Amino acid sequence: MKFIDEYRNQELGKKLVDRIHHQSTKPIKLMEFCGGHTVAIFKHGLRQLLPQTIKMLSGPGCPVCVTANSDLDKAIALAHLPNVIITTFGDMLRVPGSYSSLQLAKAEGSDVRVVYSAQDAVFIARDNPDKSVIFIGIGFETTAPTIAASIQQAEQEGIDNYYVLSLHKLCPPIMKALLDLGEVRLDGIICPGHVSAIIGSHPYKFIPDDYGIACVVSGFEPLDILLSVDRLVNQIETEQPKVEIAYRRGVKPEGNQPALKLMDNVFEICEANWRGIGPVPLSGLRLNQKYQRFDAENSFDIDPGPSREPEGCICGSILRGVSTPLDCKLFGKACTPVCPVGPCMVSSEASCATYYHYGADYGG
Ligand code: SF4
């Protein structure tokens, strides 16, 4: 198949749904890790097509949502410094931190600009040599190589007023942390497609090997996801958990080696703080020694103060797959996309916003 409508072909979809119904005999829980998959599943009504035996849970794969308030507070504190331009992806703007947001900081006079890539931030730095330009680096392995490239570009061009606040997170370590928490018993995981395009499928091998849990790397079209569920059910029913790729057009087992090398040249692995989970060893990326001078956290003196969570918000347990947005008393009342209380109502890939946009009755 070459074209997007082929991945939405109804006849093929029906065949896959029939095969899933035919194969699935025992109750199982599957988690889609990635927020992009959550959106696709809801948008195309896939949960309703699956048999009662399959329960789908959403995981922590929304980069904005998993950013801890203490880290958001650092970004907001940086925005309040004089002669600073904050550059960020759009989703970050409205996420409430402990006491404010980047949007509020902008309204109060801070120079906060939305960019579509880290390279745009480098251009802003080049055009504003008398200002410090800080890029808020969030995201998983998908975005980290592009931010590494921006740092190398700034170095090569001698741009000395460009900085990155590196809040990047790594997927396999947080999957392990969630499984070790043991709050949710999973039978299978739909592994993230975009992240896997970079890291490949090998890093998930510990999941079937150590935890006996099935894994399938999926694309984002309805047939991709149905095929992934089909393969997961097959692994579970035959008791042969392994890592499969159901997204061959985007993912190679070995990943994208040039992108991995780029990341490796600029970043080193460190502990990261995850919303709802806390500090997880070896689950984040910070700038390595060679690129220290681009590190915003080390280059500016800020004191964001103690962080706090929004009262009544259960984003943390939603991100761990323990709760759904429907369990939150604020959902659709005090918390809506227009007036979000927590990050899961802000981002386009976030669970609460997805439930809100595509109908809360779609899969609670
Ligand atoms: Fe947090 Fe709002 Fe989601 Fe409730 S509905 S968990 S307050 S983001």
Side-chain angles (χ1 to χ4, degrees):
M1 293 197 287
K2 278 189 189 167
F3 302 106
I4 198 161
D5 55 343
E6 296 174 298
Y7 291 93
R8 298 179 178 184
N9 181 294
Q10 284 194 13
E11 285 309 310
L12 290 175
K14 272 185 199 157
K15 281 184 185 162
L16 278 170
V17 169
D18 287 347
R19 203 162 78 184
I20 293 167
H21 276 258
H22 183 69
Q23 284 189 94
S24 180
T25 64
K26 52 188 174 190
I28 57 171
K29 282 186 185 155
L30 307 181
M31 176 180 273
E32 83 272 359
F33 179 88
C34 171
H37 283 144
T38 305
V39 173
I41 287 167
F42 276 67
K43 185 175 170 187
H44 297 289
L46 301 184
R47 281 191 178 185
Q48 291 89 324
L49 299 177
L50 299 178
Q52 296 281 325
T53 42
I54 300 177
K55 184 167 173 57
M56 301 289 293
L57 304 172
S58 302
C62 158
V64 168
C65 307
V66 294
T67 303
N69 263 7
S70 55
D71 287 334
L72 275 167
D73 295 345
K74 286 179 198 165
I76 295 161
L78 287 167
H80 281 114
L81 293 176
N83 284 321
V84 159
I85 301 173
I86 295 289
T87 53
T88 178
F89 294 137
D91 272 1
M92 280 295 278
L93 208 60
R94 296 176 60 237
V95 181
S98 299
Y99 307 97
S100 183
S101 66
L102 286 173
Q103 188 174 47
L104 201 54
K106 185 177 169 71
E108 290 165 352
S110 299
D111 194 343
V112 180
R113 305 185 190 183
V114 171
V115 291
Y116 292 102
S117 73
Q119 195 184 37
D120 289 346
V122 176
F123 296 152
I124 291 172
R126 194 170 59 195
D127 294 344
N128 295 272
D130 53 337
K131 299 274 176 84
S132 298
V133 175
I134 302 172
F135 180 75
I136 309 299
I138 63 150
F140 294 105
E141 292 93 331
T142 325
T143 46
T146 63
I147 290 152
S150 78
I151 291 167
Q152 288 195 334
Q153 182 183 356
E155 186 197 35
Q156 282 157 15
E157 293 186 19
I159 297 171
D160 60 6
N161 60 329
Y162 177 61
Y163 303 88
V164 170
L165 178 65
S166 181
L167 306 175
H168 296 99
K169 309 258 186 306
L170 301 173
C171 282
I174 198 60
M175 289 171 154
K176 181 172 180 347
L178 276 186
L179 295 174
D180 287 341
L181 273 177
E183 290 180 302
V184 181
R185 187 191 60 79
L186 294 177
D187 300 283
I189 297 178
I190 297 178
C191 297
H194 295 145
V195 164
S196 306
I198 303 296
I199 67 173
S201 57
H202 296 318
Y204 306 119
K205 197 168 178 303
F206 73 93
I207 299 177
D209 288 358
D210 300 346
Y211 298 88
I213 293 174
C215 282
V216 176
V217 178
S218 180
F220 295 86
E221 292 303 321
L223 290 193
D224 290 321
I225 294 169
L226 288 173
L227 179 61
S228 300
V229 172
D230 171 69
R231 300 321 304 152
L232 285 170
V233 170
N234 181 270
Q235 287 187 35
I236 295 162
E237 292 286 339
T238 58
E239 297 182 356
Q240 291 180 331
K242 58 188 168 198
V243 181
E244 281 183 72
I245 301 174
Y247 187 30
R248 289 273 169 192
R249 66 188 185 285
V251 175
K252 295 182 194 146
E254 69 278 13
N256 180 330
Q257 290 299 318
L260 288 170
K261 198 167 168 211
L262 193 53
M263 276 165 67
D264 199 41
N265 282 341
V266 173
F267 293 112
E268 63 188 18
I269 293 175
C270 64
E271 180 178 275
N273 198 6
W274 295 69
R275 182 183 299 274
I277 300 166
V280 177
L282 308 178
S283 69
L285 292 174
R286 66 182 172 211
L287 296 175
N288 64 21
Q289 201 55 42
K290 182 175 174 203
Y291 292 97
Q292 275 302 298
R293 79 137 216 82
F294 293 93
D295 189 330
E297 200 162 352
N298 288 345
S299 304
F300 297 91
D301 196 14
I302 48 167
D303 178 15
S307 64
R308 66 175 185 190
E309 296 301 316
E311 202 172 322
C313 174
I314 59 164
C315 278
S317 62
I318 291 172
L319 293 166
R320 299 197 309 277
V322 176
S323 306
T324 78
L326 302 185
D327 297 321
C328 179
K329 290 188 176 70
L330 308 185
F331 177 82
K333 297 175 189 126
C335 181
T336 64
V338 174
C339 191
V341 174
C344 294
M345 193 55 97
V346 178
S347 164
S348 55
E349 295 189 348
S351 285
C352 298
T354 304
Y355 270 67
Y356 189 90
H357 287 306
Y358 294 107
D361 55 330
Y362 268 27

